[in-house]
Structures are given as C-alpha cells and as structure tokens.
C-alpha cells in the first residue's frame, strides 16, 4: 500500500516553477475557434490538420519546425458532456503523454482546485500485487491553488483506496489496526485498542459477538484514535468489517465477491482523518473503528440470538448478515458518552442504498438542517455528490420486534437503508448525528476514479466542517 505516500500524488512543482514544463492550453468547444484564430499560422495549420475539435479528454501535442513539442492542447468538451461526469481535467491528464505540464490558459469553467485534485487522483494506481507501473503526466501547481491542501486530500483519498483495494487476506482486523497505528504515528495521535475477550470485559458485546467466529489472529477489536487538544469535538465512526461472509446466513458467492470492501466506512474515515490532521484543522478528532471479520464457525452468532448492547438496548438477530449495524451500535454508544459536537458514521451498510441512488452518490441521514445546508453546498462545489435520505420516524415500528428492543433485520424488504439508519440513530440518541450509507467502490473507470475502492463523502465533509463546527 504505497500510493498514499507516493510522489505521484503531488504536484510536479508546488512552488509554481514551470521551467521545463510544456504549456497546456485547455479549450472548450465553444471557445475553440476563438482560441485557434489567435494562434500563429503554424499552430493553426497543425491543429486544423489534426482534426482536433476540443472534445472532452482529447489532446494534441503541437511541435515546432524541428518536431519538438512546444505546447499541448486539450479539449474540455461542452456543458452537456460536463454534466455527464466529474473531473474533466483528469480526463485530460490521463490522455497526455508522460511529462510535466503547466496550465497556459484559465479553465473554461469549474473550480480550479477541485480540477487539480482530479489531476492528481488520475495518477493513482493500485499495483501492490503486480509489476509497478510508471506514472506519467505531472502538473505544475497553478497560481492561486493551495498545493498543501490539494495534496493532503489526494493522499487521504489514496489511503482510502489502498485500504479498500487490499484483499482480505492482507486486510484483516489486525491489518486495519496496523494501518491505523501508522496513521496515528504520522500525526502524533493517540491510539488505544481493545481486542478479543477484553471487548466483553469493557462492555462491547455486539462487536465481540459479530467477530468471535474469526480465527484467533483475526480477533475482533475496537480502534479508538484521538488527535488535537483544542476546538470543537468531532467523532468519526467507521464500519470495519474486513470480510463479510454473511455469517450463518451465508451470502451466495456472487454477493460475497466484493466483501473485501465491507470495511469501506473505516477506510473512508481514516482517509478523512488524514486530511483533517494533515491540514491541522483546529478541532479535537476522535476516530472509532469496530474492526471484525464476519466468519462462520461453531461459535458464530446465530439467527434468533438476542444481544445486549453497550447502551443497554437488546437486539434480536434475525439475520447474521446485518452485522455492520451491530458493531457500529456499540461504537456509537461509546462515542455518545462524551457528547461530541458532531458525530458522523460511515458504512457500506445496505444494498438498499445502492438500489436507491446507485454507486456514485453518497446517501446520508441527518436531522440537523445546518449540516444539510453545509454538506449540500460543499458537495456541489467540489464534485463529491451527496443525497439526503430521511430519518423517517414512522418506520421506527419496523425495527421493534416482539422479544427485544430492536430487530437487526426487519422482515419485508421495504426501506432497508432507512430502517438501518433508524437502528443506528437509537445508539446516537441525543447527539448531533449524521450517518452515511456509502458504497465505497467504483464499478467502472471514470476520470480520477479508476475501477475499485473509492472514497465517498469524505471531501464533502471536509469542505463542510468549518460551517458545521464553526471553525
């Protein structure tokens, strides 16, 4: 997992020194003819002969009389093509030959800092298990762009991607702990870990119950990282199910294939934590990750069992494949005990959320209108789309079974993401609380977002934090 610390996700020259870099002219279709009319005859002739039309992601090197490239021209498309995707500058970066480039024109539209982030993210490759690939196009940091901020966000996103992409053979609960230890060490954060039977001793019964069937070296654990000594308090809770077989309610093979990504919530909050700490935001951060493997053995959690949570609520287990909400519940119970100014959970929790909004959008739940306003504005500004879903209180009766306080898997199949969110809200009772039900996976490659693990919602949260917490 090398890319989160790789120079490939940094600007070629953060100082803005463009010496040796090829000038890059980014042109949209509407402005193409005007730009072309302003060029020298030799440039007009070459560009016209090439058939270049400023289509999105189309690139062209323009040579001098000796054949040496003197500029690059790239297409930014038009409003229609822009509306169908994200990170158009990343599409250009991926199409350019290897080398360093400096923007010679303003972008036709869009947020320059976000587009520069897309350029850096386009260089991400997960090659831990294959021959290392060489990385190509490097960008000189444009004037006015905060290189430190963009690089911190790119590095945090790369960390999230690396963690999700790593197979469960190398990303069990102990490996997730090791990754958290590395992050804590990098920023002088404090990490405490409660493992195995100690979870029972310290009253985390549902984390223990979900993870107890795993091999001894993959024992369940709770990771608790803290950082910062002043400012408002932010608690991030991430689902760390490192592999989900479904337990005794075993998943079919087709549904189990991507379950290495079931720790995507944990990976996302760790990536977000990296961004927060690298940017030294004036807040007190706590990250809680229940790290487990939902396995099958003689000691596995059974359908019909009733568990008593840390918060004292009892839970009837009607499906062992609805385990993420169980481990999150104990972590949320702990987080609630200190009454943070804001608590956010992130989890690859339900297939129902994917049916509702697909893989690109990050659905979230909150009753806090200030959070909604901040998140929606931030998400639109930086191309990290979110979609508000309802904490629909009338559905509370669906999560209340006959013999316990709560049901972990209501029958009927309706409103699965909503009922899961309502379940979690019971354990964050009285807190300023927001829940994200994310996918954590990009099923097909797009600019700056290769197929595989991906962070969702973290950048929107980061951008919204000043308004949500009054920083």
């Amino acid at each position: 997992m090398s890319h989160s610390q790789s120079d490939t996700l940094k600007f070629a020259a953060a100082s803005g020194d463009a010496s040796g870099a090829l000038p890059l002219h980014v042109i949209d279709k509407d402005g193409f003819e005007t730009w072309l009319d302003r060029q020298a005859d030799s440039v007009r002739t070459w560009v016209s002969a090439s058939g270049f039309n400023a289509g999105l992601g189309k690139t062209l090197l323009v040579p001098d009389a000796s054949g040496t490239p003197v500029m690059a021209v790239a297409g930014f498309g038009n409003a229609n093509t822009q509306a169908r995707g994200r990170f158009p500058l990343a599409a250009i970066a991926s199409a350019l030959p290897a080398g360093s480039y400096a923007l010679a024109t303003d972008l036709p539209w869009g947020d320059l800092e976000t587009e520069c982030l897309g350029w850096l993210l386009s260089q991400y490759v997960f090659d831990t298990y294959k021959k290392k690939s060489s990385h190509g196009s490097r960008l000189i940091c444009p004037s006015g762009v905060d290189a430190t901020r963009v690089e911190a966000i790119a590095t945090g996103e790369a960390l999230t991607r690396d963690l999700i992409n790593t197979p469960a053979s190398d990303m069990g609960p102990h490996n997730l702990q090791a990754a958290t230890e590395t992050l804590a060490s990098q920023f002088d954060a404090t990490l405490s870990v409660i493992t195995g039977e100690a979870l029972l001793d310290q009253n985390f019964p549902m984390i223990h119950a979900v993870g107890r069937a795993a091999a001894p070296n993959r024992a369940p654990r709770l990771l608790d990282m803290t950082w910062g000594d002043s400012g408002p308090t932010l608690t991030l809770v991430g689902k760390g199910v490192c592999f989900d077989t479904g337990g005794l309610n075993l998943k079919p093979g087709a549904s189990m294939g991507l379950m290495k990504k079931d720790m995507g919530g944990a990976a996302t909050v760790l990536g977000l934590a990296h961004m927060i700490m690298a940017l030294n935001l004036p807040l007190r951060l706590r990250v809680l990750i229940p790290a487990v493997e939902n396995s099958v053995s003689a000691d596995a959690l059974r359908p019909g069992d009733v568990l008593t949570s840390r918060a004292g609520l009892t839970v009837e287990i009607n499906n062992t494949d609805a385990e993420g909400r169980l481990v999150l519940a104990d972590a949320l119970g702990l987080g609630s005990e200190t009454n943070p100014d804001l608590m956010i959970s992130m989890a690859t929790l339900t297939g129902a959320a994917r049916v509702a909004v697909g893989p690109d959008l990050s659905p979230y739940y909150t009753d806090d209108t200030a959070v909604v306003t901040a998140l929606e504005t931030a998400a639109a500004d930086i191309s990290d789309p979110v979609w508000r879903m309802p904490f629909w209180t009338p559905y509370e009766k669906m999560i209340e079974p006959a013999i316990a306080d709560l049901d972990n898997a209501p029958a009927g199949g309706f409103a699965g993401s909503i009922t899961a969110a309502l379940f979690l809200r019971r354990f964050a009772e009285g807190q300023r609380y927001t829940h994200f039900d994310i996918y954590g996976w990009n099923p097909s490659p797009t600019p700056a977002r290769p197929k595989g693990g991906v962070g969702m919602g973290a950048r929107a949260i980061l951008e919204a934090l000043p308004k949500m917490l009054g920083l």
Side-chain angles (χ1 to χ4, degrees):
M1 297 186 296
S2 60
H3 288 292
S4 59
Q5 301 299 324
S6 173
D7 285 342
T8 63
L9 297 183
K10 295 184 182 295
F11 290 109
S15 65
D17 178 9
S19 59
L22 201 62
L24 174 62
H25 296 251
V26 178
I27 314 297
D28 69 324
K29 284 203 167 191
D30 292 339
F32 175 54
E33 293 299 332
T34 299
W35 175 85
L36 192 61
D37 288 343
R38 294 172 179 169
Q39 305 308 306
D41 290 345
S42 59
V43 173
R44 285 200 302 272
T45 300
W46 182 268
V47 173
S48 298
S50 74
F52 179 84
N53 64 359
L56 180 63
K58 300 298 183 182
T59 61
L60 176 69
L61 297 185
V62 180
D64 61 14
S66 69
T68 301
V70 293
M71 74 166 66
V73 184
F76 217 57
N78 57 29
N80 290 333
T81 56
Q82 293 280 332
R84 297 172 67 92
R86 286 185 259 171
F87 300 117
L89 193 62
I92 292 169
S94 298
L96 287 168
S100 294
Y101 298 86
L103 289 176
T105 58
D106 293 332
L107 296 185
W109 56 77
D111 179 69
L112 179 59
E113 192 163 285
T114 299
E115 293 305 320
C116 287
L117 172 67
W119 183 299
L120 296 190
L121 292 178
S122 74
Q123 307 304 301
Y124 174 87
V125 177
F126 184 71
D127 55 10
T128 298
Y129 299 97
K130 60 195 300 184
K131 183 178 179 181
K132 305 302 179 186
S133 57
S134 60
H135 297 276
S137 56
R138 306 290 304 280
L139 181 68
I140 303 296
C141 183
S143 175
V145 170
D146 185 342
T148 298
R149 180 177 177 84
V150 177
E151 290 173 352
I153 294 172
T155 302
E157 169 64 16
L159 172 60
T160 294
R161 294 180 183 185
D162 281 350
L163 293 172
I164 297 174
N165 285 329
T166 301
S169 55
D170 293 326
M171 190 46 64
H174 57 305
N175 303 107
L176 191 53
Q177 175 183 332
T180 308
E181 288 171 344
T182 298
L183 183 63
S185 176
Q186 182 180 355
F187 293 103
D188 294 324
T190 299
L191 177 65
S192 63
V193 182
I194 305 169
T195 306
E197 296 302 305
L199 289 165
L200 294 176
D201 297 336
Q202 299 192 43
N203 194 23
F204 298 99
M206 295 207 294
I207 298 174
H208 179 271
V210 171
R212 71 192 184 203
N217 67 331
R218 291 173 173 255
R221 63 205 67 204
L222 176 67
L223 312 178
D224 185 350
M225 184 178 74
T226 56
W227 172 88
D229 55 14
S230 63
T233 52
L234 170 66
T235 296
L236 304 176
V237 183
K239 174 185 170 185
V241 178
C242 294
F243 194 81
D244 181 17
T245 66
L248 291 178
N249 291 113
L250 194 68
K251 292 178 183 288
S255 299
M256 210 183 298
L258 271 182
M259 284 300 98
K260 70 174 185 178
K261 78 170 185 66
D262 212 22
M263 38 65 70
T268 302
V269 299
L270 288 174
L272 175 56
H274 180 281
M275 299 173 198
I276 290 170
M277 295 187 292
L279 296 173
N280 199 30
L281 296 190
L283 56 79
R284 289 171 287 168
L285 174 66
R286 188 180 195 185
V287 176
L288 298 172
I289 296 174
V292 301
E293 189 171 88
N294 188 20
S295 299
V296 178
S297 77
D299 194 31
L301 180 67
R302 295 171 293 267
D305 285 354
V306 174
L307 304 178
T308 300
S309 68
R310 179 180 182 84
L313 293 170
T314 57
V315 180
E316 182 179 357
I317 307 303
N318 283 314
N319 192 321
T320 62
D321 195 20
E323 84 299 331
R325 67 201 69 184
L326 301 176
V327 299
L328 286 170
D330 270 356
L332 287 169
L334 174 64
S336 295
E337 291 167 12
T338 57
N339 296 306
D341 293 303
L342 179 63
M343 185 159 62
I344 300 173
S345 61
M346 306 194 80
T348 52
L349 203 62
T350 69
R354 309 287 71 75
V355 173
V357 300
D360 284 356
L361 292 168
S362 300
Y364 73 98
Y365 296 81
T366 188
D367 290 324
D368 191 313
T369 55
V371 167
V372 173
T373 300
L375 272 177
E376 299 285 345
T377 301
D381 287 345
I382 62 169
S383 298
D384 189 15
V386 300
W387 195 266
R388 188 186 183 189
M389 300 279 278
F391 271 136
W392 187 244
T393 300
Y395 289 165
E396 287 275 2
K397 59 183 178 290
M398 296 170 65
I399 60 171
E400 296 171 345
I403 66 169
D405 294 320
L406 296 171
D407 183 341
N408 84 317
F414 289 130
S417 181
I418 297 174
T419 55
L422 290 172
F423 181 97
L424 295 178
R425 187 174 69 169
R426 290 288 188 96
F427 298 89
E429 197 70 43
Q431 304 300 312
R432 191 181 180 210
Y433 173 58
T434 298
H435 164 61
F436 279 78
D437 189 347
I438 62 174
Y439 190 45
W441 191 263
N442 197 36
S444 57
T446 56
R449 291 160 50 87
K451 181 178 180 179
V454 67
M456 299 180 67
R459 294 190 299 107
I461 293 170
L462 181 74
E463 186 75 7
L465 280 177
K467 290 184 178 178
M468 292 193 295
L469 289 175
L471 301 180

